[in-house]
Amino acid sequence: MFIQTETTPNPATLKFLPGRSVLGEGTLDLRSHDDADLSPLAQRLFDVRGVAAVFLGSDFVTVTKAEAEWPQIKPAILGAIMEHFMSGAPVLSDGVKPEVADADEFYEAKDAEIVATIKELLDTRVRPAVANDGGDITFRGFKDGIVFLNMKGSCSGCPSSTATLKNGIENLLKHFVPEVTEVQAVSGSLAINLSVR
């Protein structure tokens, strides 16, 4: 088994491509060792000293390190990924479903057409580029001209994520959707709180 490794815009994150499907559809963002019980693959990765977060995508695994240096932990991460896929164990624990883009969305019914356009732009122009960098951006909501997006994987905590969000995504959406005035990054729980206001 040959696993490719790619750098991401986030220096604390590397993207690993095992050459086979990881989740197929959806994503799973595991931000701590406490989340590892959702995935046998993540359990193996979090057992590597220095691994701070694991993001599972369609055909890639993104690993974020804590204080460790890549030359010290990269071989152990490659070994954990290889062992997992060679064992034939499932990627997700029983009953666990990957996150899908439509989960926990909020917007008013009158904005449905605007939201459909925003989602199409995200799916066709933004998400493929972000997935190439080992992350994902999902629509969470639209309220008073503000688009709320959830940044995951290498995008989460990336030094250039604010610039990407404001200069890239916000400008793109404003250009094609005049009703958009701003784009903000939110966590999943913040998006849910905004929806009940």
Side-chain angles (χ1 to χ4, degrees):
M1 177 177 189
F2 178 72
I3 301 170
Q4 289 182 296
T5 307
E6 295 179 359
T7 58
T8 72
N10 184 346
T13 303
L14 280 180
K15 180 179 175 183
F16 296 85
L17 297 131
R20 58 184 68 189
S21 176
V22 176
L23 288 182
E25 282 192 39
T27 61
L28 191 61
D29 196 11
L30 306 162
R31 306 306 300 167
S32 72
H33 200 282
D34 294 338
D35 298 334
D37 61 340
L38 299 174
S39 165
L41 173 57
Q43 288 172 345
R44 288 179 193 254
L45 291 168
F46 277 113
D47 285 342
V48 175
R49 187 180 182 103
V51 170
V54 174
F55 179 78
L56 306 175
S58 60
D59 63 349
F60 66 90
V61 177
T62 304
V63 177
T64 302
K65 68 180 180 72
E67 301 300 316
E69 295 300 321
W70 285 119
Q72 282 75 44
I73 66 170
K74 185 177 167 184
I77 292 169
L78 288 166
I81 294 171
M82 187 176 297
E83 285 174 16
H84 175 80
F85 283 106
M86 299 305 279
S87 76
V91 173
L92 299 176
S93 299
D94 286 341
V96 175
K97 301 280 186 219
E99 298 168 19
V100 291
D102 295 338
D104 302 322
E105 291 180 358
F106 61 93
Y107 57 90
E108 293 182 26
K110 67 179 178 63
D111 295 327
E113 192 173 316
I114 294 168
V115 168
T117 304
I118 291 168
K119 286 176 156 185
E120 181 181 346
L121 288 166
L122 291 172
D123 288 344
T124 59
R125 297 185 178 223
V126 178
R127 291 182 77 199
V130 173
N132 283 339
D133 287 338
D136 195 16
I137 293 181
T138 53
F139 175 84
R140 282 294 174 245
F142 179 73
K143 185 173 181 161
D144 301 326
I146 301 172
V147 177
F148 298 93
L149 302 175
N150 189 4
M151 302 176 81
K152 300 182 273 188
S154 66
C155 295
S156 179
C158 175
S160 62
S161 64
T162 301
T164 299
L165 191 68
K166 290 296 181 184
N167 298 333
I169 300 168
E170 184 173 281
N171 288 342
L172 172 81
L173 293 178
K174 282 180 173 179
H175 177 76
F176 287 102
V177 186
E179 294 85 355
V180 172
T181 59
E182 185 181 354
V183 174
Q184 291 184 11
V186 296
S187 68
S189 59
L190 179 57
I192 293 166
N193 291 338
L194 287 168
S195 66
V196 295
R197 285 186 188 169

